[in-house]
Amino acid sequence: MSYSDFKTLDKAINDLNLTLKESHNLFAQVPPIQPSQRLTEALEETLELATNISTEKARSELILTPILLEVRRIFQGRIGYFSGISFNVDENRGLNGVCDFILSASENQLLITAPVMTVVEAKDNDIKLGLGQCVAEMVAAQVFNDRKGKSQTIYGVVSTGTLWKFLTLETQILTIDRTEYFIAQLAEILGILAEPFRNYFR
């Protein structure tokens, strides 16, 4: 069993003993961050291309990656960025396998270092299909941080590139924001992605 075996949100919640909360506008108080000219120009070139190709890989490479790298630049490279990396934390609970993207509050790029702050699951068509896997990866990040004595609220994201849905995990409480953000709301998306690091580095 691995992250990809958590096919539904219900399975992740039940198997991992979580309590689900839903919130409307969970991140309404988070200040937006205007995208840089560099990111704006990159997405002008790649956004239409990615949506026309319309595969998970294209959306990951051409939309998600430039946005996540922008967050890394916002914090002057103090964020560890990992893509398509194995994150094996607890095989007995199915908390193992490959994560699409992981962001950590560490400059270390040779290996994942605690605290892991954000996990991002890329989906090419249906946000709901990625929720269970994303939640399992969030629990793995929580366990990983706890073992290192660096417990943090874990942020999770499921994105098609053009549509973004955010989650948080604190102890056993999983909160899902009912609000979904479209790529046209890029400043709000960047603000939410930066929020856990803004809190950590303040």
Side-chain angles (χ1 to χ4, degrees):
M1 188 169 170
S2 65
Y3 301 124
S4 60
D5 292 312
F6 290 91
K7 302 291 187 186
T8 65
L9 177 62
D10 184 62
K11 178 174 176 57
I13 290 170
N14 289 331
D15 288 6
L16 300 171
N17 299 312
L18 303 177
T19 299
L20 175 64
K21 289 176 56 180
E22 292 184 59
S23 176
H24 182 65
N25 286 329
L26 178 62
F27 302 101
Q29 303 305 313
V30 172
I33 296 176
Q34 293 302 318
S36 66
Q37 183 177 351
R38 179 176 177 177
L39 176 61
T40 301
E41 291 176 352
L43 291 179
E44 284 176 356
E45 180 180 1
T46 62
L47 184 59
E48 184 177 356
L49 180 62
T51 53
N52 284 337
I53 297 172
S54 197
T55 64
E56 188 173 304
K57 188 172 188 293
R59 290 170 182 263
S60 293
E61 292 176 348
L62 300 176
I63 306 176
L64 271 71
T65 293
I67 291 172
L68 297 179
L69 290 178
E70 175 91 342
V71 177
R72 190 169 185 267
R73 285 193 295 272
I74 290 168
F75 294 96
Q76 294 80 48
R78 289 183 291 171
I79 292 176
Y81 163 87
F82 300 91
S83 173
I85 192 167
S86 293
F87 189 49
N88 299 322
V89 176
D90 188 341
E91 293 187 18
N92 291 330
R93 299 174 68 192
L95 304 180
N96 60 283
V98 174
C99 295
D100 286 337
F101 298 98
I102 289 177
L103 300 180
S104 66
S106 168
E107 297 179 15
N108 196 335
Q109 281 297 152
L110 293 178
L111 75 167
I112 299 172
T113 305
V116 169
M117 308 292 277
T118 306
V119 296
V120 182
E121 176 65 23
K123 287 296 170 191
D124 62 352
N125 53 10
D126 192 337
I127 291 284
K128 287 184 178 180
L129 292 178
L131 288 174
Q133 183 170 343
C134 183
V135 169
E137 292 169 5
M138 291 170 71
V139 172
Q142 184 182 67
V143 171
F144 180 80
N145 289 348
D146 288 349
R147 287 176 182 170
K148 305 293 185 179
K150 294 190 176 182
S151 300
Q152 300 287 332
T153 298
I154 306 298
Y155 281 54
V157 188
V158 181
S159 176
T160 65
T162 52
L163 187 64
W164 296 65
K165 192 170 191 68
F166 293 91
L167 313 80
T168 61
L169 178 65
E170 296 184 79
T171 59
Q172 297 300 109
I173 307 299
L174 173 71
T175 304
I176 299 181
D177 192 357
R178 291 176 182 164
T179 305
E180 294 182 346
Y181 294 82
F182 294 90
I183 192 66
Q185 299 167 281
L186 184 55
E188 287 79 8
I189 291 168
L190 286 172
I192 298 169
L193 288 170
E195 184 68 5
F197 302 99
R198 186 161 38 205
N199 292 337
Y200 186 80
F201 289 126
R202 70 171 45 161

